[in-house]
Amino acid sequence: MNSDSLTPRGNWGSKVAFIFAASGSAIGLGSIWRFPIMVGLNGGAVFVFAYILAVILIGFPLMLTELTIGRHTQKNPVGAFKALKPGTPWKLVGYMGVFTGVCILSYYSVIAAWAAGYLYKTLFGAFRGEITWAVSDQIFSSFAANPLEVLLCFFVVIALTTFVISRGVKGGIERWSKILMPMLFALIIIMAIRALTLKGAGPGISFYLKPDPTKITPKLFFYAVGQAFFSLSLGMGTMITYGSYISKKDNLSSSAGWVCFSTTLVAFLAGIIIFPTLFATPGINPQEVQASTGLMFQVFPLIISKLPGGYLFGVLFFILLLVAALTSTISLLEVPTAFLIDEHNWRRGKAAVVIGTAAFLLGIPSALSNGASPFLTRIGLMMKMDLVFGNIMLAVGGLFITIFVAYAWGIPQALKEIAQGNRSFKVKPLWVFSMKYLAPLAIIAILIFTIILA
Ligand code: PFF
């Protein structure tokens, strides 16, 4: 047992350790599984550009804000709002974040369970040799529709997550991220290069990188901002919680910048793998499958089977994908756990087990909504959960956090905190402009448009 599990609150070892841990939270299924689906759903390249804009103009500034609130208060989201504006309803934003975290954890862990299932399928040779679309599609649909297999993997994911969180911050999160994230990155680059050199990759590359202005819609921006929040772990206080473990000597703005950059790069490369491969694969109509829930799982085996040493490559890739997913699930579980420790004096272990169990029970319907239960499949429950919690709730949470920093806590107070460890805050104009006007107005406009158009 490490010393962190004895004291409920730990601290990051260094700035680099923090960047790895926060990138571990950010980089995960949001970039590799969810981003390509959003690209497929929203007209290709126009979405890629809207997403990058959303990261720079809203995501990065909001991440800096969350880290600042976290480091200043040294608290979980509920405690942070209570400390900064005692006796006001602002703490509700924190409660909303805790609740959103449990709900996202519930269905996100189902996708992580798919990654776990793909790991043992690859290990047992399901993807040996040349894989066709028909085979890959069949493997995915029969796996996702098998309740026993999926629920078992789902249980394992939640159990692993709960175990890591119950052991505390340093011992758990840091150790995992430092070695494995760079490895994942290397594998993704190799696959991206292979995908780009496929015969017939051209149409996929154009779909992904050549914007078609007729595809621009208000909804696109809603999804782009939602995707930016989701992939950067923003809008529910994860970065407030992670920020609470950062040292006063660290530069918050450059830390946030690194996390945003690495996450966006991974998402971008995931698309570079998926679309050229999809468009170059015979026997499918890309338009029909480009927004499928299982897109990543259907397409990645195709490219892996085209690499030399495909078997080992596949095994390694799914190990790393699972780890990337787990570094995100542990950050989702850390928010409600830190809340119960700080606000209700629970022991870390008990808090983690109780929330983990709740997320498991809540996630069962999502686990069954991809073929196992005809009713839940028809409603598309998992993607509905994702729309409500992964898009809308994060956007609403992000909106309140920006309004809070700009108009309740105050820009000067936040600037004082940012100045510690960062004498020359170069992107100050962008941050101030985004918090005061751009982020709140854009999110409000997007939410209104979407409600009217829905
Ligand atoms: N950012 C994670 C991913 O992209 O996989 C998912 C996530 C983690 C979202 C933590 C929100 C969060 F608070």
Side-chain angles (χ1 to χ4, degrees):
M1 190 173 265
N2 64 43
S3 59
D4 289 322
S5 47
L6 304 177
T7 53
R9 265 188 173 274
N11 227 319
W12 307 113
S14 67
K15 177 180 165 188
V16 175
F18 164 77
I19 292 176
F20 271 112
S23 307
S25 163
I27 297 172
L29 299 167
S31 299
I32 303 171
W33 162 76
R34 195 180 191 272
F35 175 72
I37 298 177
M38 291 295 145
V39 174
L41 196 69
N42 292 290
V46 280
F47 182 83
V48 180
F49 285 94
Y51 169 73
I52 293 175
L53 269 186
V55 168
I56 297 173
L57 298 178
I58 302 178
F60 164 73
L62 181 59
M63 179 173 296
L64 180 52
T65 298
E66 287 203 22
L67 295 180
T68 305
I69 295 175
R71 188 174 71 174
H72 186 75
T73 58
Q74 305 274 303
K75 289 205 160 52
N76 69 86
V78 176
F81 286 106
K82 274 191 191 164
L84 292 174
K85 285 282 154 206
T88 64
W90 279 109
K91 61 177 177 292
L92 294 178
V93 180
Y95 281 110
M96 197 171 86
V98 169
F99 176 68
T100 305
V102 181
C103 296
I104 295 182
L105 178 63
S106 76
Y107 72 85
Y108 188 95
S109 302
V110 175
I111 319 293
W114 292 353
Y118 263 57
L119 172 57
Y120 75 71
K121 277 187 192 307
T122 317
L123 255 178
F124 290 112
F127 301 110
R128 263 184 193 283
E130 184 80 20
I131 302 291
T132 61
W133 171 263
V135 170
S136 184
D137 185 37
Q138 158 66 23
I139 291 178
F140 175 74
S141 355
S142 60
F143 170 61
N146 182 329
L148 222 66
E149 250 184 313
V150 172
L151 285 176
L152 196 71
C153 295
F154 178 35
F155 179 78
V156 170
V157 166
I158 293 273
L160 279 173
T161 307
T162 307
F163 174 74
V164 173
I165 282 299
S166 63
R167 296 199 56 185
V169 173
K170 249 198 215 153
I173 307 170
E174 222 175 274
R175 200 177 304 153
W176 288 89
S177 323
K178 264 193 250 174
I179 326 157
L180 298 164
M181 300 312 283
M183 276 171 75
L184 175 69
F185 191 66
L187 258 58
I188 287 181
I189 293 201
I190 296 174
M191 281 189 277
I193 294 173
R194 183 67 191 93
L196 285 174
T197 52
L198 284 175
K199 206 158 83 213
I205 299 175
S206 321
F207 173 77
Y208 188 57
L209 294 177
K210 216 169 127 216
D212 173 356
T214 62
K215 298 268 171 61
I216 298 176
T217 59
K219 254 200 173 128
L220 169 84
F221 293 101
F222 164 72
Y223 281 114
V225 172
Q227 177 61 26
F229 285 11
F230 190 93
S231 65
L232 298 171
S233 308
L234 297 174
M236 50 160 275
T238 304
M239 290 299 162
I240 294 181
T241 309
Y242 273 41
S244 72
Y245 307 113
I246 305 185
S247 139
K248 295 278 184 197
K249 290 196 294 284
D250 288 345
N251 181 330
L252 292 178
S253 154
S254 78
S255 301
W258 275 110
V259 178
C260 292
F261 175 73
S262 54
T263 309
T264 308
L265 190 60
V266 168
F268 182 75
L269 290 171
I272 289 274
I273 298 172
I274 300 242
F275 293 101
T277 309
L278 188 67
F279 280 69
T281 300
I284 32 165
N285 175 359
Q287 270 79 33
E288 270 170 25
V289 291
Q290 70 202 15
S292 135
T293 317
L295 185 63
M296 191 228 112
F297 294 91
Q298 291 156 312
V299 174
F300 269 63
L302 302 174
I303 193 80
I304 289 172
S305 78
K306 288 194 168 51
L307 285 164
Y311 174 78
L312 279 181
F313 195 98
V315 172
L316 192 59
F317 172 72
F318 283 110
I319 292 178
L320 296 174
L321 181 69
L322 183 59
V323 171
L326 286 172
T327 51
S328 302
T329 54
I330 56 189
S331 75
L332 285 162
L333 184 56
E334 175 63 17
V335 175
T337 304
F339 160 69
L340 288 175
I341 295 171
D342 293 349
E343 305 301 310
H344 296 281
N345 289 322
W346 283 33
R347 272 184 309 105
R348 180 168 269 280
K350 175 179 162 192
V353 170
V354 169
I355 303 283
T357 310
F360 180 72
L361 296 176
L362 189 65
I364 292 177
S366 292
L368 301 178
S369 72
N370 293 279
S373 150
F375 171 67
L376 295 172
T377 308
R378 196 156 2 97
I379 341 179
L381 183 79
M382 196 170 79
M383 291 320 273
K384 288 256 159 55
M385 291 282 287
D386 183 56
L387 175 68
V388 172
F389 296 102
N391 248 315
I392 298 176
M393 290 296 275
L394 292 184
V396 173
L399 172 65
F400 282 122
I401 296 171
T402 56
I403 295 177
F404 176 79
V405 75
Y407 302 104
W409 185 35
I411 298 278
Q413 265 66 25
L415 282 173
K416 264 191 227 147
E417 180 62 46
I418 296 174
Q420 302 197 43
N422 182 4
R423 295 265 155 259
S424 62
F425 179 27
K426 290 203 194 67
V427 289
K428 180 173 150 188
L430 166 70
W431 179 75
V432 174
F433 180 68
S434 178
M435 286 303 106
K436 277 186 139 164
Y437 312 109
L438 186 67
L441 289 178
I443 301 172
I444 291 174
I446 286 165
L447 285 172
I448 292 176
F449 257 116
T450 320
I451 293 165
I452 294 173
L453 295 175

